[in-house]
Amino acid sequence: MALLDPTRSILVVIDLQGKLVGMVHRPALVLEATRRLMRLADLFAVPVVLTEQYPKGIGPTEESIRATYDGLTTSKFFLEKTAFGCCGDSGFEALLRQARPHLAREKRQIVVAGIEAHVCVMQTVLELLGSGHEVHLCWDAVSGRGEEYRKHALERMAAAGATLTNHESVAFEWARDKNHPQFKALSALMKEGQPQG
């Protein structure tokens, strides 16, 4: 598994919606790490895909996540779905192609955040891996209702070939060097402290 390359990366934020967000294990950590990932994607011109699972029933994307997404200047894409795994929606692959039109599927590096770890996130990750994608799963931005659901889902995804990472590792891999033009902005973001939750 290679280090992340911002020219090959796509950030996928899965179903951080409604009351469900408040019910997952360590919701404050998940929300803050995801907001940071989106801000980092903006710094490094990494496209962002935001999904919602049946919002009529579950509710819209959590306000701070939606506000961060709406404020992005990088390429961004939205998918409303009924399939649990994103790959179960025919529009998802089309969005990935739009996000990185010159990259073959096996060259794409998908960075994943969202909920729930054992349902929509896991189905998405396993199908992405099965179709040849490289998947980097941010443990600090992924959760589910209950620590055991989260823990065992992360274990299963890692066993299937996903790389477990976190938002800080993603940031420093995208930058790779302190002389990167975005390093000062990255550093300022990190000085906000560790997300808590």
Side-chain angles (χ1 to χ4, degrees):
M1 190 67 69
L3 291 172
L4 284 164
D5 177 344
T7 67
R8 295 172 52 203
S9 297
I10 303 169
L11 172 60
V12 177
V13 178
I14 301 171
D15 306 348
L16 285 168
Q17 293 166 250
K19 293 177 183 174
L20 190 56
V21 175
M23 297 166 63
V24 302
H25 180 69
R26 299 176 77 186
L29 173 66
V30 171
L31 291 171
E32 179 58 21
T34 303
R35 287 190 294 267
R36 287 184 181 204
L37 277 169
M38 289 193 288
R39 291 164 65 190
L40 290 161
D42 217 27
L43 288 178
F44 292 96
V46 170
V48 176
V49 177
L50 178 71
T51 74
E52 286 184 351
Q53 171 67 26
Y54 185 56
K56 285 181 188 173
I58 297 175
T61 298
E62 189 274 340
E63 277 184 23
S64 71
I65 297 294
R66 186 66 204 215
T68 304
Y69 172 82
D70 288 342
L72 296 174
T73 59
T74 192
S75 301
K76 58 188 178 184
F77 306 89
F78 176 77
L79 178 69
E80 183 179 318
K81 62 189 179 65
T82 57
F84 300 118
C86 296
C87 300
D89 189 293
S90 59
F92 184 62
E93 172 61 27
L95 292 183
L96 297 181
R97 277 197 310 272
Q98 276 183 265
R100 291 292 182 201
H102 305 298
L103 276 186
R105 187 178 290 181
E106 61 275 7
K107 293 290 186 183
R108 296 180 197 144
Q109 295 178 317
I110 311 298
V111 178
V112 175
I115 61 174
E116 285 194 68
H118 61 298
V119 185
C120 297
V121 173
M122 186 162 65
Q123 289 187 30
T124 300
V125 166
L126 294 179
E127 288 189 300
L128 283 169
L129 291 167
S131 63
H133 292 86
E134 193 177 304
V135 180
H136 296 252
L137 187 63
C138 290
W139 64 262
D140 52 351
V142 170
S143 196
R145 285 168 296 159
E147 170 55 10
E148 288 183 328
Y149 284 104
R150 174 185 174 277
K151 175 181 182 289
H152 295 301
L154 290 173
E155 288 171 351
R156 181 175 170 190
M157 290 183 278
T163 294
L164 288 183
T165 190
N166 60 76
H167 81 280
E168 287 197 12
S169 293
V170 169
F172 285 93
E173 287 174 41
W174 281 343
R176 207 66 66 84
D177 191 300
K178 78 162 227 44
N179 292 320
H180 189 287
Q182 295 294 358
F183 183 73
K184 283 187 179 176
L186 182 165
S187 185
L189 182 59
M190 295 305 155
K191 284 176 183 169
E192 294 177 11
Q194 290 285 334
Q196 302 299 312

